[in-house]
Amino acid sequence: MDVWRYFAITHRNHVIMNPLSSEALDGVLELIQLLPGARVLDIGCGKAELILRLARRSGVEAIGIERSPYTAEEARARVRRESMDDRIHIEEMDGAEYAGEPGTFDLASCLGASWIFHGHRSTLRALSRWTRPGGFVLVAEPFWRASPDPEYLSSQELRADEFGSHASNVEDGVTEGLIPLFARAAETTEWDRYEALQWHAAEEWARENPADPDVVEVLRRIRESRRAFLRWGRDCVGDGLYLFRKPDQADSR
């Protein structure tokens, strides 16, 4: 089935489409002091929750890039409901193809979608290119808490080298010339909520749409995902939130 439809179904109850809690997101946004009119770029923006919070908090102007047509439309609808069309623009496209002018954003972010740039370091590199000196780079990225079982990797179509550690996620930023300002690992209960909301969404959607041709595949996928998470993933996969600054002259000392 269409992968974007699958994600739209399984994430229909999510506002933040990764294991970040609302409190964790607000906590890091408190550390980013943006002025009204500051420019924000969010790659893989999901339902636009990050940029909506920033627009309410700081009056920023934002561009959200989202590849899923289902999620992009929901993001636009949320922006319209809050009458922020004049400050937030949602573009439906592959984030890797975005051609915004380098060095012009006060904050560039990508929360849990580093697959767009084929990895964590390349994501940091791309975001840094779009960020002005002294601006911020914000990412969320999985990491291995423990060595993954080969059966888990096979069931989820993952590679052992696909993620690093919590520490290496920070060090990758240093390697790319960024200054780490904050790092937070998601609590296990945050992962539990993120995963279990998907089970609930898929099972309820299937009850509501028994004649849909994708029902069998949606249930097969979500039940395999549930089994793999409870048997292996909950113990071996973590998720981190990382804030960096792109150096400017004030950071030269």
Side-chain angles (χ1 to χ4, degrees):
M1 67 176 293
D2 175 22
V3 64
W4 304 121
R5 185 172 194 236
Y6 176 77
F7 284 126
I9 291 167
T10 56
H11 288 75
R12 67 178 187 169
N13 296 329
H14 291 74
V15 175
I16 303 170
M17 297 179 70
N18 62 52
L20 277 173
S21 68
S22 179
E23 293 76 17
L25 185 56
D26 280 339
V28 75
L29 294 184
E30 289 176 3
L31 302 176
I32 303 173
Q33 299 299 315
L34 297 178
L35 299 175
R39 301 187 72 226
V40 175
L41 174 67
D42 191 15
I43 303 291
C45 70
K47 299 178 183 180
E49 182 63 14
L50 168 66
I51 49 184
L52 281 168
R53 290 190 186 207
L54 281 170
R56 297 185 205 110
R57 176 188 294 266
S58 304
V60 303
E61 298 177 1
I63 297 173
I65 308 297
E66 176 55 49
R67 187 172 176 181
S68 165
Y70 303 96
T71 308
E73 182 50 42
E74 187 166 354
R76 292 190 193 100
R78 298 185 78 224
V79 170
R80 286 193 298 269
R81 282 198 298 272
E82 299 206 26
S83 300
M84 291 191 181
D85 310 62
D86 58 332
R87 283 190 281 152
I88 298 177
H89 178 63
I90 306 297
E91 295 190 20
E92 183 187 321
M93 63 180 297
D94 185 337
E97 298 176 359
Y98 178 68
E101 185 177 352
T104 59
F105 290 93
D106 298 282
L107 166 66
S109 61
C110 181
L111 302 184
S114 65
W115 51 267
I116 293 171
F117 301 102
H118 307 291
H120 179 54
R121 274 192 63 181
S122 53
T123 298
L124 293 171
R125 191 176 306 134
L127 297 178
S128 179
R129 185 173 65 250
W130 284 310
T131 305
R132 66 165 176 81
F136 299 97
V137 171
L138 178 65
V139 296
E141 177 70 8
F143 62 87
W144 295 124
R145 290 186 181 275
S147 296
D149 189 291
E151 194 173 346
Y152 174 68
L153 295 174
S154 177
S155 73
Q156 300 303 293
E157 298 182 350
L158 292 171
R159 304 184 316 275
D161 63 357
E162 198 154 346
F163 306 136
S165 65
H166 188 42
S168 72
N169 281 349
V170 175
E171 287 303 312
D172 282 345
V174 176
T175 301
E176 292 300 322
L178 299 171
I179 299 172
L181 299 180
F182 180 81
R184 180 189 188 280
E187 301 288 342
T188 304
T189 52
E190 292 174 289
W191 264 114
D192 287 341
R193 182 179 186 277
Y194 173 68
E195 293 287 336
L197 279 178
Q198 294 181 61
W199 312 340
H200 179 274
E203 296 288 350
E204 291 302 297
W205 174 85
R207 283 171 57 88
E208 296 161 8
N209 301 275
D212 192 288
D214 286 328
V215 163
V216 172
E217 181 63 9
V218 167
L219 292 178
R220 183 194 69 79
R221 290 191 190 188
I222 200 65
R223 290 168 181 174
E224 171 57 25
S225 176
R226 182 187 66 211
R227 183 187 75 87
F229 173 73
L230 293 174
R231 184 172 179 183
W232 301 294
R234 191 175 189 272
D235 297 322
C236 72
V237 185
D239 190 73
L241 181 63
Y242 307 96
L243 177 65
F244 302 91
R245 183 170 63 240
K246 184 174 180 176
D248 61 6
Q249 289 184 346
D251 293 306
S252 60
R253 59 188 179 279

